[in-house]
Amino acid sequence: MGIKVVFREAEKELDSGVSIIEALKAFDKKEAKKALGARINGKIIDLSTVLTEDTGFDIITGETPEGLEMIRHSTAHVMAAAVKRLFPDAKVTIGPAIESGFYYDFDRKEPFKPEDLPKIEKEMQKISNENLPFEVKTLTVAEAVEFFKAAGENYKVEIIEDLAAETGTTEVTIYKCGDFTDLCRGPHVPSTSKIKAFKLLDVAGAYWRGDETKPMLQRIYGTAFDSKEELDIYLKNLEEAKKRDHRRLGKELDLFSFQEDGGPGLAYWHPNGALIRHLIETFWKNEHIKRGYSLVYTPHIARAHLWETSGHLNFYKENMYSPIDIEGQEYILKPMNCPFHILMYKTKLRSYRDLPLRWAELGTVYRYERSGVLHGLLRVRGFTQDDAHIFCTPEQLKEEMINCVRFARYLNESFGFKDYDIFLATRPEGHAGTSEEWDVAENTLREALVQEGVPFTVDEGGAVFYGPKIDIKLKDALGRHWQGPTIQFDFNLPRRFDVNYIGQDGQEHKCFMVHRALLGSMERFMGCLIEHFGGAFPLWLSPVQIAILPISDRHQEYAQKIADQLREKDFRVTVDDRREKIGFKIREAQVQKTPYMLVIGDEEVAAAKIAVRERKEGDLGAMDIYRFIDILKERIEKKI
């Protein structure tokens, strides 16, 4: 019995029961060699999948994001197979593909050591060379439990039993690769020979299912690509990323620290870091005031009742700190600024003539993060959000959204982030508000992006439950994505707090509310900024803009005179008056990534000039102080 199969507009009649790879060979043998998987009706499946009815399919190659994920997922299996060959006592748990590669968690009495990684890689290469097929098989839950119990893999048994209890499933799939079999939904590449460019990167500890009360596992991280060239580029960027790591640079440049005595996840801003933060915040405040925002300040704690009204105690409790007892009343550290702005809005009756109201706050919030996920400034427990809330009428929403997108782009481009991707996140399942309201809100956000003339991608179902949003992902100097501005519409809080205004008809109407954070948080933005610039901040943000380097003691007086002239013009200057050789002083200024160094010696004193060195361009020659000031002013104006 034959079936009709379509591939790229070509149609063939093939035998029922033919596999996708066999069908593909019938169409194009070259494409069959490139294929890693296939897509039918939007679902990605193995090439070994059997076709029993008329259908059309497309292929997944290693050049696509889906193909890369398949490679990485399959490489995780190969790594687990290699570990089991070398360390038979290791028990396997889970091994997913992640954005930067993959990992696999193992339970083993003796921890893995860094020197184990090359051994595992060598065994992985051997498995790749063996060209072992990934063979899928469906088992009943009972069969799968029995299989993994017999293999001594108790973690797999737990996963299967929990899956059956939570979803009611009666069947699971397993994948066999040589002598290694794993519980997995798939899909996988056809065979291990497709896995040819990989690298194991690190070993770390991880609690089983992220629960501190459960066993500590050994997590091996790795990455994989479709080609060695891509892997080499990634590894080169990885080395560059290590040099730019904000935690290392934060210490070297004396920007911030974390103090064990004070508690993890709480940043201490040192003078240099605090000065950069001051410059960022001052720029932020001035630009908001220019655009019709009013600045507000709110408390750090509030009665627990407020968080019940907002709903945070119901859906966000695990990220909130325990209550504080004050005179028999429970207070909680704020995880969000939104309810506070709403309380201020409701202090009096508002008219449509008062709207839009744009209230902005650099508000410090506190969220509980497990110690295992804390990561420098990028994941902390206390942070300051550049928050704002806009209260407006339905008719004003589109214009406010356009202004937010425009403002977000301007702010981030001013800090050197010229490259970014924009996403429109649409309704998820179980959302607040009606479908009609979501249609209006989503269309308004879409129209705002179209009118602004920026390309964007629709993130289907990617919104939070209380409203659609616009996300902007920043690309740094290494091409890495960072979560940037978020512009969020909210159906939920205006209803919970009964936020209204009096319309032209004299009746009460529900107020529209927009949350937006254009930098995110000062902490995370600073971490991103450090890594983007590698600590070499542009002139306008550098804590020290100019280092004056007198060659000897007799040049100190003139050096101090130059420093005074520059300070009068509001430049940030230091004078290195140590009795060190000038080469040493220059190297020290370079290490501190100071934008300009002024060398002062006999010739400069005699000619009343300065010898200027720029940290990247090197020696710029001698010039008078006034020409140098003009150069500084131009660079600061251009924010370079």
Side-chain angles (χ1 to χ4, degrees):
M1 180 178 175
I3 57 171
K4 289 181 180 178
V5 181
V6 177
F7 174 65
R8 293 183 182 169
E9 299 181 356
E11 182 180 303
K12 288 183 181 291
E13 186 166 326
L14 302 172
D15 292 336
S16 178
V18 68
S19 68
I20 293 178
I21 187 62
E22 290 169 337
L24 184 54
K25 287 177 180 177
F27 282 97
D28 191 327
K29 289 182 180 179
K30 286 185 179 179
E31 291 295 283
K33 287 183 179 180
K34 290 170 53 180
L36 299 179
R39 183 187 284 109
I40 295 180
N41 296 327
K43 184 180 179 181
I44 299 173
I45 54 179
D46 297 304
L47 291 177
S48 60
T49 302
V50 170
L51 302 176
T52 57
E53 58 185 27
D54 295 350
T55 190
F57 69 88
D58 198 2
I59 62 168
I60 303 295
T61 69
E63 298 167 351
T64 64
E66 299 91 341
L68 183 58
E69 184 176 356
M70 288 180 72
I71 289 171
R72 289 173 171 174
H73 188 190
S74 300
T75 309
H77 277 238
V78 169
M79 180 178 74
V83 167
K84 290 293 285 185
R85 284 187 182 183
L86 297 171
F87 309 97
D89 63 313
K91 294 184 177 182
V92 293
T93 63
I94 58 171
I98 56 177
E99 184 178 358
S100 58
F102 60 89
Y103 69 80
Y104 212 113
D105 288 346
F106 303 92
D107 187 358
R108 185 168 176 255
K109 288 181 181 179
E110 184 182 345
F112 291 111
K113 302 181 289 294
E115 51 265 36
D116 291 326
L117 299 187
K119 300 175 189 175
I120 299 170
E121 278 186 7
K122 187 176 180 180
E123 194 64 32
M124 290 171 67
Q125 189 60 58
K126 185 177 175 183
I127 293 171
S128 172
N129 295 341
E130 290 170 4
N131 192 22
L132 302 171
F134 281 90
E135 300 172 295
V136 62
K137 186 177 180 180
T138 300
L139 300 179
T140 67
V141 165
E143 289 171 336
V145 167
E146 182 181 354
F147 175 84
F148 285 107
K149 274 186 178 178
E153 300 291 359
N154 54 294
Y155 291 97
K156 297 296 181 183
V157 172
E158 182 181 331
I159 293 170
I160 295 165
E161 290 178 339
D162 287 352
L163 182 65
E166 292 169 9
T167 67
T169 187
T170 58
E171 293 182 334
V172 296
T173 54
I174 59 172
Y175 277 79
K176 186 174 183 295
C177 170
D179 53 5
F180 177 70
T181 300
D182 206 354
L183 174 72
C184 188
R185 288 178 298 183
H188 282 284
V189 299
S191 75
T192 58
S193 65
K194 297 291 187 181
I195 297 165
K196 47 190 180 288
F198 56 85
K199 181 72 176 175
L200 300 188
L201 302 172
D202 199 8
V203 180
Y207 289 107
W208 171 232
R209 293 190 160 177
D211 188 336
E212 295 169 8
T213 65
K214 293 186 177 180
M216 171 65 78
L217 306 174
Q218 296 291 304
R219 176 171 293 180
I220 299 179
Y221 285 98
T223 192
F225 288 87
D226 186 43
S227 68
K228 187 177 183 302
E229 291 75 19
E230 291 172 297
L231 175 63
D232 289 343
I233 291 170
Y234 175 81
L235 294 177
K236 183 180 177 182
N237 284 341
L238 199 61
E239 285 303 310
E240 180 63 27
K242 288 178 183 177
K243 296 176 187 176
R244 292 169 177 258
D245 190 313
H246 76 281
R247 294 166 297 180
R248 183 177 70 82
L249 289 172
K251 186 176 182 180
E252 290 179 4
L253 302 177
D254 199 21
L255 301 175
F256 64 89
S257 65
F258 291 89
Q259 302 295 326
E260 189 60 35
D261 288 343
L266 302 170
Y268 290 72
W269 295 81
H270 295 205
N272 283 345
L275 178 54
I276 297 173
R277 177 168 168 169
H278 164 74
L279 295 168
I280 294 170
E281 291 183 352
T282 301
F283 177 68
W284 183 93
K285 289 175 182 177
N286 291 339
E287 292 300 324
H288 276 75
I289 291 168
K290 284 181 189 176
R291 288 164 173 77
Y293 285 80
S294 298
L295 303 182
V296 298
Y297 295 90
T298 58
H300 288 234
I301 62 173
R303 286 178 173 167
H305 173 71
L306 180 68
W307 308 111
E308 289 174 358
T309 304
S310 69
H312 286 96
L313 276 179
N314 292 330
F315 67 86
Y316 205 72
K317 189 174 183 178
E318 68 276 9
N319 294 102
M320 297 170 68
Y321 285 98
S322 301
I324 306 165
D325 184 277
I326 301 177
E327 297 178 345
Q329 295 270 345
E330 285 191 344
Y331 284 71
I332 295 178
L333 285 167
K334 67 174 177 178
M336 309 277 187
N337 297 304
C338 334
F340 292 72
H341 292 191
I342 290 173
L343 291 182
M344 290 193 294
Y345 179 93
K346 288 172 65 68
T347 54
K348 62 182 181 180
L349 199 61
R350 309 282 179 177
S351 160
Y352 72 95
R353 296 180 184 275
D354 300 320
L355 303 182
L357 284 178
R358 307 182 190 101
W359 288 350
E361 176 181 17
L362 290 167
T364 301
V365 299
Y366 304 89
R367 299 178 188 174
Y368 172 63
E369 299 281 4
R370 293 183 182 275
S371 56
V373 301
L374 297 175
H375 183 78
L377 292 176
L378 305 182
R379 196 79 176 263
V380 290
R381 288 175 171 168
F383 55 92
T384 301
Q385 281 190 305
D386 76 310
D387 229 344
H389 293 92
I390 301 169
F391 301 91
C392 64
T393 68
E395 296 77 21
Q396 295 167 334
L397 180 62
K398 179 178 171 182
E399 184 178 354
E400 292 304 311
M401 284 294 178
I402 291 172
N403 290 338
C404 283
V405 171
R406 196 170 292 166
F407 193 8
R409 295 173 68 199
Y410 171 78
L411 267 186
N412 284 278
E413 287 177 10
S414 296
F415 288 104
F417 295 104
K418 311 287 188 183
D419 197 4
Y420 43 80
D421 295 316
I422 300 178
F423 298 86
L424 171 61
T426 60
R427 78 195 75 183
E429 294 182 9
H431 54 76
T434 66
S435 295
E436 291 76 16
E437 289 172 323
W438 275 83
D439 286 341
V440 171
E442 287 178 4
N443 288 336
T444 301
L445 270 59
R446 183 178 282 103
E447 289 170 8
L449 290 170
V450 170
Q451 187 166 325
E452 185 61 6
V454 293
F456 64 94
T457 302
V458 177
D459 179 11
E460 294 289 353
V464 288
F465 77 95
Y466 51 83
K469 63 176 178 174
I470 295 169
D471 276 331
I472 301 179
K473 303 284 180 68
L474 306 177
K475 280 187 183 178
D476 70 5
L478 297 182
R480 298 172 300 177
H481 280 90
W482 299 76
Q483 177 58 56
T486 296
I487 304 163
Q488 171 78 62
F489 184 79
D490 190 350
F491 292 110
N492 185 50
L493 286 182
R495 285 201 173 93
R496 282 183 171 272
F497 283 94
D498 195 27
V499 182
N500 301 309
Y501 67 94
I502 303 300
Q504 294 186 56
D505 58 2
Q507 302 299 310
E508 280 196 350
H509 297 270
K510 276 284 173 286
C511 195
F512 274 33
M513 182 177 175
V514 176
H515 311 253
R516 40 114 298 194
L518 302 188
L519 300 181
S521 76
M522 289 297 109
E523 287 73 11
R524 182 158 51 82
F525 185 74
M526 182 67 163
C528 177
L529 204 64
I530 292 169
E531 298 202 9
H532 180 57
F533 289 115
F537 297 103
L539 182 66
W540 75 286
L541 284 176
S542 293
V544 175
Q545 296 171 312
I546 306 137
I548 302 180
L549 314 177
I551 292 176
S552 68
D553 288 349
R554 66 178 179 273
H555 307 124
Q556 297 280 8
E557 183 179 349
Y558 183 68
Q560 195 56 57
K561 178 184 174 183
I562 294 296
D564 291 342
Q565 286 181 272
L566 291 169
R567 287 179 183 131
E568 283 178 8
K569 299 294 184 180
D570 294 326
F571 296 112
R572 298 182 289 279
V573 184
T574 61
V575 177
D576 189 344
D577 56 6
R578 293 175 296 172
R579 291 183 174 178
E580 300 283 357
K581 291 183 178 180
I582 191 64
F584 176 84
K585 291 182 179 182
I586 290 172
R587 285 194 299 274
E588 284 282 288
Q590 287 282 167
V591 167
Q592 289 302 305
K593 304 186 187 297
T594 307
Y596 285 96
M597 291 145 271
L598 306 184
V599 178
I600 305 296
D602 290 338
E603 291 183 12
E604 287 72 35
V605 174
K609 291 190 175 183
I610 50 178
V612 181
R613 289 183 62 87
E614 202 272 340
R615 69 182 165 206
K616 289 183 180 178
E617 298 173 26
D619 189 1
L620 301 184
M623 63 184 74
D624 64 48
I625 186 71
Y626 304 106
R627 181 185 167 203
F628 180 58
I629 288 174
D630 287 340
I631 291 172
L632 296 179
K633 285 181 177 179
E634 182 181 1
R635 292 197 67 179
I636 288 173
E637 185 178 342
K638 293 180 178 178
K639 292 188 166 49
I640 57 176

